[in-house]
Amino acid sequence: MRLSFVILAILGAAVPASAQTEKMHAPTAADRFPIGETLLYEIKFGFVTLGEAMMHVADIDTIRSEPALHVVFAMKGGVMTIYRLHDRMDSWIGLNDFSSRRFVQDFHEGNSFRYTAWDIYPDSGFYQEEGVDSTVATSPDPLDDYAFFYFARTLDLEIGKRYEFNRYFRPDRNPVVLEVLKRDTLDLPAGRFSTVVVHPIIQGRGILAEGREARMWITDDDRRLVVQLKVKFPFGTLALRLKDVADTPPPELLEKPSGEKADP
């Protein structure tokens, strides 16, 4: 059960999107997503608040001599003493090509712990998992699970359309599908928002896996903020509801699931 996977990657007539079309929709990451942008969420299970989460633009780093936007997703919470979770995903997205360079998952869910990291080489056409000697062919202009959230925020999503993208960095799990269902107005702790509702799907066990019945609410304006996310789990449906847009993240959400302090 990988909550961050379900929570994360994103996003009628079928409208397959070519790599060329996708690039036209992807402006420079640094221009679109300012350093420090922090979307803070409450985690709700029905009427009960179970924890908090964030999507955070941390910094511009250098990955193999290329500038990359470092974005962080983190969540902490659980169902009292029955089920606890602390998940974190870090993604480094190339500033010049909006392709993933590195992706790290660090999960503590119930009694399960998992740390996995991938280095992704768009120019060379392969990716490599940390601790594994062999390399695997990747997709053109590859994106990881969390980078897809930011890619989705660059798109003009038309109601009733189905978009397919062959950019997931693990080619056997393509295409990533975004079904744009309807418009909706939400009253959330952070305010009232006009949104489009998106059903994201990815093959396999990932964040947008089929059977998870994920739904994303993205603001219908230039900001394209992800203001709500709902995901189905065996114990029920969790909702992440936007409570604030801040310039800095809470310290408790900057800790790694292992308890080690992470770089902001």
Side-chain angles (χ1 to χ4, degrees):
M1 183 190 314
R2 293 284 171 258
L3 182 55
S4 289
F5 272 122
V6 186
I7 288 177
L8 283 134
I10 10 229
L11 309 161
V15 184
S18 67
Q20 180 179 0
T21 301
E22 292 162 17
K23 278 187 169 182
M24 291 173 61
H25 285 288
T28 302
D31 294 337
R32 186 62 186 264
F33 308 114
I35 303 302
E37 180 192 78
T38 306
L39 307 181
L40 296 174
Y41 304 87
E42 60 180 11
I43 305 173
K44 301 289 286 189
F45 179 55
F47 294 104
V48 180
T49 301
L50 298 182
E52 59 182 350
M54 73 171 182
M55 295 183 188
H56 172 56
V57 181
D59 206 348
I60 295 177
D61 291 340
T62 301
I63 303 295
R64 298 183 297 275
S65 302
E66 290 288 335
L69 192 70
H70 178 196
V71 292
V72 179
F73 172 83
M75 62 184 305
K76 295 180 72 172
V79 185
M80 296 175 285
T81 59
I82 301 173
Y83 185 85
R84 301 295 299 175
L85 64 92
H86 183 182
D87 288 354
R88 175 172 168 138
M89 292 190 293
D90 290 71
S91 176
W92 286 262
I93 307 167
L95 291 186
N96 299 322
D97 59 6
F98 215 97
S99 293
S100 294
R101 291 298 195 280
R102 183 167 173 78
F103 179 48
V104 177
Q105 303 164 352
D106 193 358
F107 298 140
H108 177 188
E109 298 179 356
N111 295 321
S112 175
F113 297 83
R114 179 176 176 177
Y115 176 91
T116 314
W118 292 272
D119 280 303
I120 304 166
Y121 299 78
D123 295 338
S124 302
F126 68 86
Y127 69 90
Q128 185 172 25
E129 183 176 344
E130 186 175 297
V132 178
D133 292 336
S134 60
T135 62
V136 183
T138 192
S139 304
D141 308 311
L143 292 169
D144 60 68
D145 301 70
Y146 187 40
F148 256 107
F149 273 98
Y150 289 87
F151 175 66
R153 291 177 58 185
T154 71
L155 301 175
D156 294 324
L157 300 172
E158 186 176 341
I159 305 301
K161 290 293 184 68
R162 172 187 171 96
Y163 300 85
E164 296 184 1
F165 303 99
N166 292 309
R167 292 189 59 175
Y168 189 60
F169 80 102
R170 303 173 72 175
D172 61 321
R173 299 191 179 185
N174 280 314
V176 174
V177 176
L178 304 179
E179 295 178 344
V180 188
L181 303 179
K182 61 180 180 179
R183 286 189 171 84
D184 193 11
T185 300
L186 295 181
D187 288 305
L188 300 171
R192 170 168 284 199
F193 299 93
S194 297
T195 68
V196 293
V197 185
V198 179
H199 177 205
I201 307 168
I202 193 171
Q203 300 177 50
R205 299 182 304 164
I207 180 171
L208 311 178
E210 295 179 84
R212 295 290 194 173
E213 300 181 16
R215 297 291 186 275
M216 296 173 58
W217 282 255
I218 303 174
T219 57
D220 192 14
D221 57 21
D222 291 340
R223 297 180 300 169
R224 294 289 197 273
L225 301 179
V226 180
V227 296
Q228 181 168 269
L229 180 70
K230 288 188 176 182
V231 177
K232 184 177 180 181
F233 282 87
F235 55 83
T237 297
L238 293 184
L240 273 67
R241 293 162 44 89
L242 187 70
K243 64 179 183 179
D244 196 12
V245 179
D247 294 327
T248 57
E252 62 272 18
L253 287 177
L254 284 178
E255 294 179 351
K256 293 183 179 180
S258 61
E260 179 184 350
K261 182 75 172 183
D263 293 332

